[in-house]
Amino acid sequence: MDVTGAAPCFVVQIHQARRMHFDFRLEVGGVLKSWAVPRGPSENPRERRLAVPTEDHPLEYRTFEGVITKGEYGGGTVIVWDQGTYRPLSHDRWGAPVPFEQSLEDGHATFWLDGIKLHGEFALTRFKKGGGSDAPGGEIWLLIKAKDGRATHDGPETPDPYLARSARTGRTLAQVAAEEGGGLS
Protein backbone atom coordinates (compact mmCIF):
# COMPACT_ATOMS: atom_id res chain seq x y z
CA MET A 1 0.00 0.00 0.00
CA ASP A 2 1.12 3.54 -0.55
CA VAL A 3 1.13 6.18 2.19
CA THR A 4 -2.43 7.28 1.35
CA GLY A 5 -3.74 3.76 1.98
CA ALA A 6 -4.76 3.25 -1.64
CA ALA A 7 -4.13 -0.15 -3.21
CA PRO A 8 -0.96 -0.31 -5.32
CA CYS A 9 -1.43 -0.15 -9.07
CA PHE A 10 -0.47 -2.44 -11.91
CA VAL A 11 -0.34 -1.84 -15.64
CA VAL A 12 0.23 -4.04 -18.68
CA GLN A 13 1.50 -2.17 -21.71
CA ILE A 14 1.86 -3.58 -25.21
CA HIS A 15 5.20 -2.45 -26.61
CA GLN A 16 6.12 -2.71 -30.28
CA ALA A 17 9.88 -2.25 -30.03
CA ARG A 18 12.59 -4.42 -31.64
CA ARG A 19 10.28 -7.29 -30.71
CA MET A 20 6.61 -7.13 -29.84
CA HIS A 21 6.05 -7.83 -26.14
CA PHE A 22 3.94 -6.94 -23.13
CA ASP A 23 5.38 -5.00 -20.20
CA PHE A 24 3.92 -6.18 -16.89
CA ARG A 25 4.43 -3.57 -14.16
CA LEU A 26 3.61 -3.60 -10.44
CA GLU A 27 3.85 -0.61 -8.10
CA VAL A 28 6.38 -1.60 -5.43
CA GLY A 29 8.35 0.73 -3.17
CA GLY A 30 7.45 3.89 -5.09
CA VAL A 31 8.39 2.59 -8.56
CA LEU A 32 6.98 0.27 -11.19
CA LYS A 33 8.81 -3.07 -11.01
CA SER A 34 8.76 -4.33 -14.58
CA TRP A 35 8.94 -7.57 -16.54
CA ALA A 36 8.86 -8.07 -20.31
CA VAL A 37 6.38 -10.85 -21.11
CA PRO A 38 6.86 -11.82 -24.79
CA ARG A 39 3.53 -13.64 -25.24
CA GLY A 40 1.53 -11.53 -22.80
CA PRO A 41 -0.27 -12.59 -19.66
CA SER A 42 -2.73 -15.48 -19.79
CA GLU A 43 -5.73 -16.20 -17.61
CA ASN A 44 -5.27 -19.93 -18.27
CA PRO A 45 -3.33 -21.59 -15.39
CA ARG A 46 -1.79 -24.10 -17.83
CA GLU A 47 -0.09 -21.25 -19.70
CA ARG A 48 3.05 -20.27 -17.81
CA ARG A 49 4.50 -17.13 -19.33
CA LEU A 50 8.16 -16.16 -19.51
CA ALA A 51 8.76 -12.85 -17.70
CA VAL A 52 12.16 -11.16 -17.96
CA PRO A 53 12.89 -8.35 -15.48
CA THR A 54 13.57 -4.95 -17.00
CA GLU A 55 14.53 -1.68 -15.36
CA ASP A 56 12.21 -0.05 -12.85
CA HIS A 57 10.08 2.78 -14.20
CA PRO A 58 8.67 5.86 -12.44
CA LEU A 59 5.03 5.62 -11.32
CA GLU A 60 4.04 8.28 -13.87
CA TYR A 61 4.86 5.80 -16.65
CA ARG A 62 1.77 3.72 -15.80
CA THR A 63 -0.37 5.96 -18.01
CA PHE A 64 2.10 6.35 -20.90
CA GLU A 65 0.86 5.71 -24.40
CA GLY A 66 2.73 6.96 -27.39
CA VAL A 67 5.74 6.58 -29.61
CA ILE A 68 9.26 6.43 -28.17
CA THR A 69 11.74 7.70 -30.74
CA LYS A 70 13.75 5.01 -32.52
CA GLY A 71 17.28 4.87 -31.19
CA GLU A 72 16.15 5.70 -27.65
CA TYR A 73 15.82 3.00 -24.99
CA GLY A 74 12.58 1.14 -25.71
CA GLY A 75 12.05 2.88 -29.05
CA GLY A 76 8.65 1.96 -30.51
CA THR A 77 4.92 2.29 -29.90
CA VAL A 78 3.24 1.67 -26.53
CA ILE A 79 -0.40 1.31 -25.45
CA VAL A 80 -1.91 0.52 -22.05
CA TRP A 81 -3.55 -2.89 -22.55
CA ASP A 82 -4.74 -3.26 -18.95
CA GLN A 83 -4.60 -1.29 -15.73
CA GLY A 84 -5.92 -1.50 -12.22
CA THR A 85 -4.89 -2.28 -8.68
CA TYR A 86 -3.49 -5.35 -6.98
CA ARG A 87 -3.50 -6.87 -3.55
CA PRO A 88 -0.38 -8.69 -2.27
CA LEU A 89 -1.10 -12.25 -1.10
CA SER A 90 2.38 -13.59 -0.34
CA HIS A 91 2.82 -15.56 2.86
CA ASP A 92 5.39 -17.87 4.43
CA ARG A 93 4.94 -21.63 4.88
CA TRP A 94 3.12 -21.05 8.17
CA GLY A 95 0.61 -18.67 6.55
CA ALA A 96 2.03 -15.43 7.96
CA PRO A 97 1.98 -12.47 5.52
CA VAL A 98 5.29 -11.57 3.88
CA PRO A 99 5.97 -7.98 2.76
CA PHE A 100 5.59 -7.83 -1.03
CA GLU A 101 9.09 -6.46 -1.66
CA GLN A 102 10.50 -9.33 0.40
CA SER A 103 8.49 -11.91 -1.54
CA LEU A 104 9.90 -10.56 -4.81
CA GLU A 105 13.41 -10.62 -3.37
CA ASP A 106 12.81 -14.23 -2.26
CA GLY A 107 11.71 -15.14 -5.80
CA HIS A 108 8.00 -15.91 -5.36
CA ALA A 109 5.25 -13.33 -5.09
CA THR A 110 1.50 -13.92 -5.23
CA PHE A 111 -1.07 -11.18 -5.77
CA TRP A 112 -4.69 -10.56 -6.74
CA LEU A 113 -5.27 -8.36 -9.81
CA ASP A 114 -8.33 -6.13 -10.11
CA GLY A 115 -7.93 -4.83 -13.64
CA ILE A 116 -10.10 -4.01 -16.59
CA LYS A 117 -9.08 -7.23 -18.36
CA LEU A 118 -7.09 -9.30 -15.85
CA HIS A 119 -8.72 -10.55 -12.65
CA GLY A 120 -7.83 -12.96 -9.91
CA GLU A 121 -4.75 -14.49 -8.38
CA PHE A 122 -1.41 -14.55 -10.19
CA ALA A 123 2.15 -15.37 -9.17
CA LEU A 124 5.58 -14.28 -10.30
CA THR A 125 8.13 -17.02 -9.66
CA ARG A 126 11.85 -16.71 -10.30
CA PHE A 127 12.86 -19.66 -12.45
CA LYS A 128 16.50 -18.73 -12.92
CA LYS A 129 18.57 -16.40 -10.81
CA GLY A 130 21.00 -14.28 -12.81
CA GLY A 131 23.99 -12.15 -12.10
CA GLY A 132 26.35 -14.76 -10.68
CA SER A 133 29.53 -15.87 -12.41
CA ASP A 134 28.13 -19.42 -12.59
CA ALA A 135 24.88 -18.37 -14.30
CA PRO A 136 25.20 -16.69 -17.70
CA GLY A 137 22.44 -14.23 -18.56
CA GLY A 138 19.91 -12.53 -16.39
CA GLU A 139 17.05 -13.58 -14.20
CA ILE A 140 14.09 -15.41 -15.67
CA TRP A 141 10.67 -15.42 -14.04
CA LEU A 142 7.36 -17.06 -14.84
CA LEU A 143 4.01 -15.24 -14.69
CA ILE A 144 1.35 -17.80 -13.75
CA LYS A 145 -2.42 -17.56 -13.28
CA ALA A 146 -3.79 -19.42 -10.26
CA LYS A 147 -6.58 -21.97 -10.56
CA ASP A 148 -9.25 -19.69 -9.14
CA GLY A 149 -12.79 -18.74 -10.11
CA ARG A 150 -11.43 -16.17 -12.58
CA ALA A 151 -9.25 -18.63 -14.53
CA THR A 152 -10.09 -19.62 -18.10
CA HIS A 153 -9.48 -23.01 -19.62
CA ASP A 154 -10.38 -22.42 -23.25
CA GLY A 155 -10.56 -19.61 -25.77
CA PRO A 156 -7.73 -17.35 -26.84
CA GLU A 157 -4.84 -17.72 -24.43
CA THR A 158 -2.83 -14.83 -25.81
CA PRO A 159 -4.23 -11.43 -26.71
CA ASP A 160 -3.40 -10.44 -30.28
CA PRO A 161 -1.25 -7.33 -29.77
CA TYR A 162 -2.04 -5.98 -33.25
CA LEU A 163 -5.81 -6.09 -32.63
CA ALA A 164 -5.71 -5.15 -28.95
CA ARG A 165 -7.17 -1.84 -27.85
CA SER A 166 -5.95 0.45 -25.13
CA ALA A 167 -7.75 0.21 -21.80
CA ARG A 168 -7.28 3.99 -21.50
CA THR A 169 -8.11 5.38 -24.94
CA GLY A 170 -9.51 2.51 -27.02
CA ARG A 171 -6.77 3.00 -29.63
CA THR A 172 -4.70 0.26 -31.29
CA LEU A 173 -0.92 0.34 -31.68
CA ALA A 174 -1.36 1.33 -35.33
CA GLN A 175 -3.66 4.22 -34.42
CA VAL A 176 -1.24 5.53 -31.79
CA ALA A 177 1.67 5.28 -34.24
CA ALA A 178 -0.28 7.08 -37.00
CA GLU A 179 -1.56 9.83 -34.68
CA GLU A 180 1.86 10.49 -33.18
CA GLY A 181 3.86 10.33 -36.39
CA GLY A 182 5.62 7.05 -35.67
CA GLY A 183 5.34 3.82 -37.51
CA LEU A 184 5.12 0.24 -36.38
CA SER A 185 8.43 -1.51 -36.87
Side-chain angles (χ1 to χ4, degrees):
M1 297 257 180
D2 70 14
V3 291
T4 64
C9 72
F10 83 93
V11 65
V12 180
Q13 293 165 310
I14 298 177
H15 191 172
Q16 171 65 49
R18 279 183 308 153
R19 293 191 178 119
M20 177 74 74
H21 66 278
F22 291 70
D23 288 312
F24 184 81
R25 306 184 196 283
L26 297 170
E27 177 184 351
V28 180
V31 299
L32 293 172
K33 294 285 186 190
S34 302
W35 292 262
V37 181
R39 292 180 50 212
S42 174
E43 291 196 283
N44 184 335
R46 294 180 309 216
E47 293 289 319
R48 296 169 182 240
R49 296 302 167 95
L50 175 70
V52 179
T54 63
E55 70 180 31
D56 294 348
H57 285 63
L59 289 177
E60 297 78 32
Y61 198 76
R62 72 184 177 272
T63 59
F64 176 76
E65 280 191 354
V67 177
I68 301 168
T69 306
K70 285 186 180 192
E72 289 186 27
Y73 175 77
T77 306
V78 176
I79 64 171
V80 172
W81 179 73
D82 195 16
Q83 61 186 357
T85 60
Y86 78 94
R87 184 170 27 107
L89 300 174
S90 297
H91 58 277
D92 64 19
R93 65 178 136 199
W94 300 280
V98 172
F100 198 69
E101 287 183 77
Q102 181 65 48
S103 65
L104 285 171
E105 192 174 306
D106 292 345
H108 182 75
T110 57
F111 45 92
W112 186 275
L113 296 180
D114 285 309
I116 295 169
K117 299 174 184 174
L118 297 174
H119 306 279
E121 185 177 338
F122 286 80
L124 277 164
T125 300
R126 187 170 42 230
F127 183 69
K128 176 186 169 200
K129 197 168 186 171
S133 59
D134 297 330
E139 287 186 352
I140 298 174
W141 292 66
L142 295 175
L143 177 62
I144 305 163
K145 174 71 176 109
K147 295 176 185 173
D148 62 18
R150 301 293 195 131
T152 62
H153 299 287
D154 54 2
E157 295 167 350
T158 302
D160 183 335
Y162 294 101
L163 299 177
R165 294 196 170 270
S166 164
R168 292 188 65 243
T169 64
R171 300 182 299 171
T172 64
L173 284 167
Q175 288 170 326
V176 170
E179 290 170 17
E180 299 199 16
L184 291 179
S185 320

